């Protein structure tokens, strides 16, 4: 009967999660959809991929849409035989973003149930975790891969705890393998990496427990072996994805440096230190876990518009010279509300005042088998989140911890704290109410001292916060006049004080509920309901600052954000929604891009200067772009951008036209968003050209320098490493030689060449050493890199057909491994379930036999 009741409560809990997810995102019920910046960018960059899939019924793993061309492994590609992804699609049955919120709730419910064996605490913990503010910030931004990975954090940990703590080997194996596979399928390696840093503390904890006799060595080795097998199979189910990305990442900005500079030596692995440590959390900014606007919240926090108006008024009233105005301009860093250490932020990593308070108590009340490893992992995560603000540890990890230098934005490691604080909070609560080993005296002592300390420190910050925290950046203090500085500090302190007082109220209510429950003045259930409702109100209200009805728009806008008209009808639908008005402001530009592509259907690239060429995908939605938007660009293309387009050297900047010619840039779009101007580039090299003059260079630095100096239509810059390619081959000039593109699709290009002499065909296609195959008259031939980042092949005299096909072997290999891994998972799971059933049946028979004998 008890078991049936638990099943009923579990079903009811899941239903509550569905309701909460839908109510929070209520606009989707009326047909609206979430408009996310990064998803808009994705739709532009993935347009060629999506069109190819729709037209051909198969996948292309290369697209020319962004940055001259790149693999699609991290741009939305799908893999045949990807069964684990189909399971993920099934679990995401609710419309976005309710699907993410439901899975955050449900996943932690499983973890909470494993940790406490009680649905009430699992339900409470699920709301603690599922309403963490950071998740709603990244949902609003469109970081879907990140939040999808986070949804599987808790159930994966649940599987591990089932094995290590609960000794449920078979069930733990199934849960661990399944959610390991699902997490990797979500495809955000950085989040998974951070989780495993935390899991390292759990492993060490279990090792210490075995070494000190708390658990048998046999259990530790069996558990570790089972979990290792489960994780290997989970990884194996994603072999296509992992092998492709592993191959790809070596050629990207996350791989080895190619150029030597004052900042790095060639062959240095990973990103530059300053890139890794950008978006480091400030030490004081860690207060955001407890007080959401400790550092002013988001860069464009609600109320910033009014602050800007007031600042402008104060400047107009007080500034008397241009010199004064210039001085003030130096003091502003781009945000009136946020004054933390990061370059900017969409909001704080708010964990919840009640959750943080209960986590603190949990480190005193929780079982030792949980609290020490959770404390260690949480402390490390906070210290690593500080990044450049705590260099000794960051330097250590960058230099010595494998793969740490592949990731940027260290502040995002706080997702570990957002998982572990709710866990230790509900474990501590459970023991507070249900473990008789904790005396009433001990509970009262910890509760009184804990709440007094938290409330006392917060009160001190409310009273003396201005002098203790400052509420201004060093830049503002140095350049802003007193009247402006006083205004900013006053406004920021007001925001802080409001949230700090709220935190004190929430903590006080929680402490009183626990105290009265301890004194039997309040039942356990009522105390849990009070804590749950207050926490729900707290987190819900803060989250609505960053993900609210303004983020949901008419379905037509969300599905086709690249509008080509700004009519009164659309303007009326947009209203005062800043997201929609931003899209509408691009209508004339989009119309211009559409007209270009309708009139000229040949293959070429567009250089669009209106939105920042290397930070937009509007252009890619219509045609292949010189620019794009992606965090993991190919290294050689990124080098080209930095070397020429972002050059401080005026000589390099002046050579940009030569680079655009190399990239077959037929059209340049300038002017303004309201009045775009199109310039045809008559000097574009075309899709391919034949050269007979070769200039060999010794280093990559010389190679990238020379492509700005040469006449690339006549001369190709070749690395000395490819000299052997020309052994036994002759090249001779022929003014009548030509090469034409006769067929184009993303992963297959065909050309016709004609010349009286042997030539080197250079293609305005980005060089990528894996997957591309080159054929001359149907026979596969080797090809080389030319002009630092393009493909080239030797073509004999005469008329020939040259074909390039992208057929990455890693995809077929990965599919085979994925299918084998999934098959083994299913087989082992079925064997395990059968063994459990058989044992249970044997026990039932034995008990029945004993009953008969006793009669």
């Amino acid at each position: 009967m008890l078991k049936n009741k638990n099943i009923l409560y579990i079903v009811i809990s899941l239903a509550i999660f569905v309701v909460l997810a839908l109510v929070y995102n209520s606009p989707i019920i009326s047909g609206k959809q979430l408009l996310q910046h990064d998803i808009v960018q994705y739709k532009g960059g993935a347009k060629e991929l999506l069109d190819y899939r729709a037209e051909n019924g198969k996948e292309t793993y290369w697209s020319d849409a962004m940055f001259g061309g790149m693999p699609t492994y991290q741009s939305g590609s799908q893999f045949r035989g990807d069964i684990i992804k189909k399971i993920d699609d099934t679990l995401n049955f609710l419309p976005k973003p309710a699907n993410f919120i439901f899975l955050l709730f449900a996943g932690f419910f499983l973890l909470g149930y494993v940790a406490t064996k009680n649905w009430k605490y699992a339900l409470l913990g699920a709301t603690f975790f599922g309403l963490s503010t950071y998740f709603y910030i990244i949902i609003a931004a469109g970081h879907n891969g990140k939040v999808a990975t986070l949804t599987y954090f808790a159930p994966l940990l649940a599987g591990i705890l089932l094995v290590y703590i609960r000794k449920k080997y078979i069930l733990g194996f199934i849960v661990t393998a399944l959610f390991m596979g699902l997490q990797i399928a979500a495809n955000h390696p950085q989040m998974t990496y951070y989780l495993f840093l935390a899991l390292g503390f759990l492993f060490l904890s279990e090792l210490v427990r075995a070494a000190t006799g708390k658990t048998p060595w046999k259990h530790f080795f069996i558990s570790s072996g089972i979990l290792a097998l489960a994780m290997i199979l989970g990884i194996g189910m994603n072999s296509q994805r992992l092998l492709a990305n592993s191959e790809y990442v070596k050629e990207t900005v996350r791989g080895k440096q190619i150029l030597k500079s004052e900042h790095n030596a060639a062959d240095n692995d990973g990103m530059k230190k300053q890139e890794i440590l950008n978006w480091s959390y400030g030490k004081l900014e860690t207060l955001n876990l407890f007080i959401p606007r400790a550092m002013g919240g988001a860069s464009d926090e609600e109320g910033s518009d009014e602050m800007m108006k007031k600042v402008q008024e104060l400047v107009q009233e007080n500034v008397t010279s241009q010199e004064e105005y210039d001085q003030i301009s130096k003091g502003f860093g781009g945000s009136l509300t946020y004054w933390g250490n990061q370059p900017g932020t969409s909001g704080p990593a708010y964990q919840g005042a009640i959750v943080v308070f209960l986590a603190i108590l949990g480190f005193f009340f929780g079982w030792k088998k949980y609290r020490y490893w959770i404390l260690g992992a949480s402390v490390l995560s906070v210290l690593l989140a500080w990044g450049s603000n705590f260099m000794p540890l960051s330097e250590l990890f960058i230099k010595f911890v494998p793969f740490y230098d592949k990731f940027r934005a260290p502040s995002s490691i706080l997702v570990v704290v957002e998982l572990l604080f709710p866990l230790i909070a509900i474990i501590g609560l459970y023991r507070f109410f249900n473990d008789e080993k904790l005396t009433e005296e001990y509970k009262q002592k910890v509760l009184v001292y804990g709440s007094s300390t938290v409330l006392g420190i917060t009160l001190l910050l409310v009273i003396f916060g201005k002098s203790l925290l400052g509420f201004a950046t060093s830049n503002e203090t140095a350049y802003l006049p007193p009247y402006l500085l006083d205004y900013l500090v006053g406004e920021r302190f007001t925001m802080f004080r409001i949230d700090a007082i709220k935190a004190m109220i929430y903590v006080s209510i929680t402490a009183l509920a626990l105290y009265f429950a301890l004194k039997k003045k309040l039942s356990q259930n009522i105390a849990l309901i009070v804590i749950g409702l207050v926490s729900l109100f707290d987190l819900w209200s803060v989250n609505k600052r960053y993900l609210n009805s303004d983020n949901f728009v008419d379905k037509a806008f969300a599905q086709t954000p690249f509008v080509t008209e700004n009519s009164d009808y659309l303007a009326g639908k947009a209203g005062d929604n800043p997201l929609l008005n931003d899209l509408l402001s691009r209508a004339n530009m989009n119309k211009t891009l559409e007209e270009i592509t309708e009139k000229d259907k040949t293959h070429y690239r567009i250089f669009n200067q209106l939105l920042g060429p290397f930070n937009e995908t509007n252009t890619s939605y219509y045609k292949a772009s010189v620019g794009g938007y992606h965090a993991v660009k190919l290294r050689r293309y990124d080098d080209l951008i930095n070397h020429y387009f972002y050059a401080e050297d005026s000589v390099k900047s002046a050579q940009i036209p030569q680079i655009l010619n190399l990239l077959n840039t037929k059209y340049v779009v300038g002017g303004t968003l309201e009045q775009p101007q199109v310039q045809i580039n008559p000097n574009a090299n075309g899709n391919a050209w034949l050269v007979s003059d070769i200039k060999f260079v010794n280093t990559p630095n010389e190679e990238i320098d020379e492509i700005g100096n040469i006449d690339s239509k006549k001369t190709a810059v070749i690395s000395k490493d490819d000299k052997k390619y020309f052994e036994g081959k002759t090249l001779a000039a022929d003014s009548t030689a030509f090469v034409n593109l006769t067929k184009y699709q993303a992963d297959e290009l065909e050309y016709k060449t004609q010349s009286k002499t042997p030539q080197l065909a250079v293609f305005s296609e980005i060089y990528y050493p894996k997957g591309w195959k080159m054929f001359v008259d149907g026979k596969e031939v080797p090809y080389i890199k030319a002009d630092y980042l393009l493909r080239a092949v030797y073509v004999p005299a005469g008329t020939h057909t040259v074909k390039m096909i992208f057929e990455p072997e890693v995809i077929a290999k990965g599919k085979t491994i994925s299918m084998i891994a999934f098959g083994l998972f299913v087989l082992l799971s079925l064997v395990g379930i059968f063994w459990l059933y058989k044992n249970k049946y044997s026990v039932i028979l034995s008990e029945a036999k004993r009953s008969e004998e006793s009669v």
Side-chain angles (χ1 to χ4, degrees):
M1 182 68 178
L2 183 62
K3 188 175 181 182
N4 291 336
K5 273 191 175 181
N6 278 339
I7 292 173
L8 176 63
Y9 292 140
I10 290 169
V11 171
I12 291 172
S13 297
L14 293 176
I16 290 172
F17 299 150
V18 171
V19 171
L20 285 174
L22 290 175
V23 169
Y24 188 94
N25 301 286
S26 56
I28 62 177
I29 299 172
S30 61
K32 290 188 175 183
Q33 291 186 358
L34 184 64
L35 184 65
Q36 303 162 290
H37 171 267
D38 278 24
I39 299 306
V40 171
Q41 296 280 37
Y42 159 77
K43 286 183 176 181
K47 182 65 161 52
E48 184 178 42
L49 163 68
L50 298 174
D51 287 348
Y52 183 97
R53 185 186 296 157
E55 292 167 10
N56 298 283
K58 60 179 183 178
E59 202 72 11
T60 174
Y61 295 105
W62 186 273
S63 171
D64 201 51
M66 296 188 293
F67 301 116
M70 59 194 291
T72 61
Y73 304 142
Q74 294 191 13
S75 303
S77 60
Q78 297 177 353
F79 303 96
R80 291 196 179 277
D82 195 3
I83 301 174
I84 193 67
K85 191 61 180 173
K86 288 181 171 59
I87 295 174
D88 175 70
D89 292 339
T90 303
L91 292 174
N92 285 275
F93 62 92
L94 289 175
K96 284 187 175 70
N99 62 323
F100 295 134
I101 296 173
F102 169 77
L103 287 176
L104 287 166
F105 286 142
F108 195 92
F109 182 83
L110 174 61
L111 174 60
Y113 199 84
V114 168
T116 66
K117 293 186 184 177
N118 188 296
W119 68 271
K120 299 173 191 174
Y121 295 91
L123 176 59
L124 183 63
T127 61
F128 287 170
F129 174 71
L131 289 169
S132 297
T133 299
Y134 180 70
F135 303 154
Y136 294 76
I137 291 168
I138 60 177
I139 287 172
H143 299 170
N144 288 358
K146 181 183 287 188
V147 71
T149 304
L150 296 174
T151 62
Y152 297 126
F153 265 30
L156 174 59
L157 178 55
I160 296 169
L161 295 181
L162 276 169
V163 176
Y164 269 141
I165 306 297
R166 296 294 179 207
K167 299 184 180 179
K168 302 288 186 182
Y169 299 130
I170 293 171
L171 181 59
F173 165 80
I174 294 170
V175 172
T176 302
L178 176 62
F179 286 103
M180 183 72 187
L182 287 167
Q183 179 166 145
I184 294 174
N187 202 26
H188 202 291
Q190 182 173 2
M191 296 299 102
T192 302
Y193 181 86
Y194 289 156
L195 175 63
F196 271 78
L197 286 180
L199 294 179
F201 282 86
L202 173 57
F203 176 80
L204 289 175
S205 172
E206 289 302 302
L207 178 62
V208 170
R209 274 162 39 85
T212 55
K214 298 289 194 317
T215 59
W217 278 110
K218 181 180 178 182
H219 165 67
F220 173 76
F221 286 123
I222 290 173
S223 298
S224 299
I226 288 171
L227 291 173
L229 176 61
M231 289 179 183
I232 289 169
L233 291 178
I235 292 168
M237 294 177 209
N238 290 276
S239 293
Q240 293 179 86
R241 184 173 292 102
L242 291 174
L243 290 175
N245 281 324
S246 176
E247 184 178 87
Y248 172 60
V249 76
K250 294 181 179 69
E251 305 299 323
T252 71
V253 292
R254 308 295 171 95
K256 288 184 177 180
Q257 303 281 351
I258 298 172
L259 302 176
K260 288 184 179 179
S261 73
E262 58 183 321
H263 303 294
N264 60 274
D267 295 332
N268 278 2
D269 209 7
M271 295 181 289
K272 296 174 183 176
K273 193 181 299 181
Q274 62 267 34
E275 293 173 335
I276 297 168
L277 298 177
N278 217 353
W279 276 273
S280 295
Y281 229 55
K283 292 175 182 176
L284 286 176
E285 202 166 359
T286 312
L287 281 170
N288 279 341
L289 292 167
F290 184 71
I291 301 170
R293 290 184 294 186
M295 291 285 163
S299 296
D300 57 349
E301 189 76 16
E302 187 177 354
S304 58
D305 290 343
E306 288 75 14
M307 288 177 66
M308 177 56 75
K309 289 177 184 176
K310 183 63 177 176
V311 165
Q312 289 172 343
E313 287 176 13
L314 289 170
V315 169
Q316 288 174 358
E317 291 171 3
N318 292 277
V319 171
T320 57
S321 68
Q322 183 64 41
E323 186 180 350
E324 247 186 291
Y325 183 82
D326 293 340
Q327 180 85 350
I328 291 171
S329 299
K330 293 178 184 179
F332 284 109
S335 174
L336 296 179
T337 53
Y338 176 72
W339 56 280
N341 293 77
Q342 299 179 85
T345 179
S346 299
Y350 182 54
Q351 181 67 75
I354 289 175
V355 180
V356 173
F357 172 61
L358 290 177
I360 293 170
L361 298 184
F363 288 121
F364 293 95
F365 292 142
W367 293 293
K368 291 181 181 179
K369 60 188 175 186
Y370 287 104
R371 67 191 191 199
Y372 292 132
W373 75 264
I374 290 177
L375 180 62
S378 300
V379 170
L380 178 67
S381 298
V382 169
L383 297 180
L384 286 175
W386 290 348
S388 58
N389 300 305
F390 194 59
M391 282 307 295
L393 184 64
S394 295
E395 288 269 15
L396 183 70
F397 268 69
I398 290 170
K399 286 182 179 179
F400 299 109
V401 178
F403 307 115
Y404 188 79
D405 63 350
K406 304 295 183 187
F407 308 116
R408 60 193 179 102
S411 60
S412 59
I413 198 176
L414 288 173
V415 293
V416 171
V417 177
E418 287 155 348
L419 170 70
L420 298 182
F421 269 29
L423 177 59
I424 195 63
I426 62 167
I427 288 172
L429 265 184
Y430 178 82
R431 286 202 77 201
F432 179 86
F433 283 115
N434 301 288
D435 197 329
E436 294 179 358
K437 292 179 182 178
L438 298 178
T439 65
E440 183 177 334
E441 182 185 359
Y442 177 75
K443 293 176 186 177
Q444 182 172 320
K445 183 179 178 181
V446 171
L447 179 59
V448 170
Y449 281 117
S451 55
S452 298
T453 302
V454 170
L455 291 171
I457 292 173
T458 310
L459 181 60
L460 287 174
L461 291 175
V462 169
I463 297 171
F464 303 108
K466 278 191 181 181
S467 56
L468 291 174
L469 301 178
F471 294 94
T473 66
S474 56
N475 211 44
E476 290 167 346
T477 305
Y479 292 107
L480 295 185
Y483 64 88
L484 272 182
L485 193 62
D486 289 345
Y487 171 72
L488 284 181
V489 169
E491 290 296 307
R492 290 166 179 173
F493 179 63
T494 298
M495 286 192 292
F496 166 82
R497 185 173 55 199
I498 290 170
D499 283 357
I501 291 172
K502 285 180 180 178
M504 291 175 67
I505 293 171
Y506 301 146
V507 170
S508 297
I509 293 172
T510 303
L512 287 172
L514 293 176
Y515 181 80
F516 286 130
L518 184 63
K519 296 301 181 182
K520 311 300 182 188
K521 306 278 187 179
L522 207 63
S523 71
Q524 176 184 158
N525 288 343
I526 296 298
L528 291 177
I529 290 171
V530 168
I531 292 169
L533 289 177
V534 175
S535 174
L536 183 70
F537 173 79
D538 171 27
L539 288 164
W540 192 288
S541 58
V542 171
N543 294 348
K544 281 294 183 179
R545 297 173 185 172
Y546 309 106
L547 178 62
N548 51 53
S549 57
D550 288 343
N551 298 92
F552 294 87
V553 300
D554 188 272
K555 193 175 182 179
F557 279 114
Q559 292 185 346
T560 313
F562 303 102
V563 294
T564 54
E565 61 171 329
N566 191 351
S567 63
D568 292 339
Y569 172 76
L570 291 175
K573 272 188 167 294
D576 58 357
N577 188 308
L579 299 172
L580 291 182
N581 284 307
D582 181 51
L583 293 182
L584 290 177
S585 72
R586 306 177 186 187
N588 290 344
M589 178 192 71
N590 290 337
K591 186 66 177 175
T592 299
L593 292 169
E594 185 180 64
E595 289 172 352
I596 293 172
T597 56
E598 286 178 351
K599 289 178 182 177
D600 188 345
K601 296 188 180 298
T602 61
H603 182 52
Y604 52 85
R605 295 191 182 91
I606 297 174
F607 183 58
N608 185 354
Q609 299 174 297
L610 293 181
L611 293 176
F614 306 109
N615 200 36
E616 61 90 19
T617 63
N618 277 67
T619 309
S620 300
Y621 184 81
Y622 295 98
K623 198 67 178 178
S625 174
V626 171
Y629 178 85
H630 204 279
V632 193
K633 296 188 286 293
L634 288 170
R635 169 69 73 186
R636 289 184 178 276
Y637 205 90
D638 191 62
D639 287 343
L640 186 83
I641 292 169
N642 292 324
H643 198 76
Y644 288 98
F645 295 91
Y646 289 163
E648 295 179 1
D649 182 350
S650 59
V651 174
K652 294 298 178 192
S653 299
Q655 293 171 339
I656 289 176
Q658 287 98 299
I659 303 304
L660 293 177
N661 294 341
L662 268 179
L663 297 174
N664 188 26
T665 309
K666 194 171 182 181
Y667 298 92
V668 177
V669 179
T672 64
L673 284 174
E674 293 77 20
Q675 294 182 315
Q677 295 178 357
V678 180
Q679 182 180 353
I680 299 175
N681 177 20
N683 300 315
N685 286 18
N687 295 295
W689 54 96
L690 299 174
V691 300
S692 55
D693 181 27
I694 303 298
K695 182 168 186 176
F696 291 105
V697 293
N698 295 318
T699 67
N701 288 66
E702 291 179 23
E703 195 175 352
I704 199 169
D705 278 336
E706 282 302 314
I707 62 174
N709 297 323
I710 61 164
D711 180 352
S712 57
K713 294 185 183 69
K714 298 179 180 178
T715 304
V717 179
I718 306 293
S719 168
K720 67 174 183 179
D721 297 334
D722 287 320
K723 268 189 176 182
K724 287 185 179 180
Y725 180 79
F726 294 93
E727 289 180 1
K729 298 182 176 75
T730 58
L731 297 174
D734 175 11
S735 59
T736 64
F738 68 84
V739 53
N740 291 328
L741 178 69
T742 56
K743 176 185 177 182
Y744 170 80
Q745 62 183 40
D747 57 357
E748 183 178 341
L749 299 94
E750 193 170 297
Y751 305 81
K752 179 183 178 183
T753 70
Q754 184 173 306
S755 63
K756 299 173 185 176
T757 58
Q759 302 283 317
L760 182 71
V762 181
F763 305 94
S764 186
E765 300 296 331
I766 305 304
Y767 175 81
Y768 183 72
K770 305 289 185 180
W772 278 106
K773 295 178 181 179
M774 186 82 69
F775 300 87
V776 174
D777 299 329
K779 180 182 178 182
E780 186 172 0
V781 296
Y783 66 96
I784 60 170
K785 168 178 57 63
D787 297 333
Y788 192 73
L789 80 168
L790 302 181
R791 300 171 219 155
V793 68
Y794 176 81
V795 181
T799 302
H800 301 282
T801 298
V802 178
K803 182 183 285 189
M804 285 185 277
I805 302 176
F806 191 60
E807 292 180 337
E809 296 175 3
V810 71
I811 301 297
K813 180 182 176 183
K815 180 182 176 182
T816 302
I817 299 172
S818 295
M819 298 295 284
I820 291 172
F822 191 83
L824 283 173
F825 164 66
V826 172
L827 178 62
L828 291 173
S829 298
L830 290 174
V831 169
I833 292 168
F834 175 75
W835 186 83
L836 282 176
Y837 174 79
K838 184 180 178 182
N839 276 11
K840 185 177 180 180
Y841 187 69
S842 298
V843 170
I844 293 171
L845 285 178
S846 298
E847 289 177 353
K849 188 175 180 181
R850 282 197 297 271
S851 297
E852 289 175 5
E853 289 174 353
S854 63
V855 173

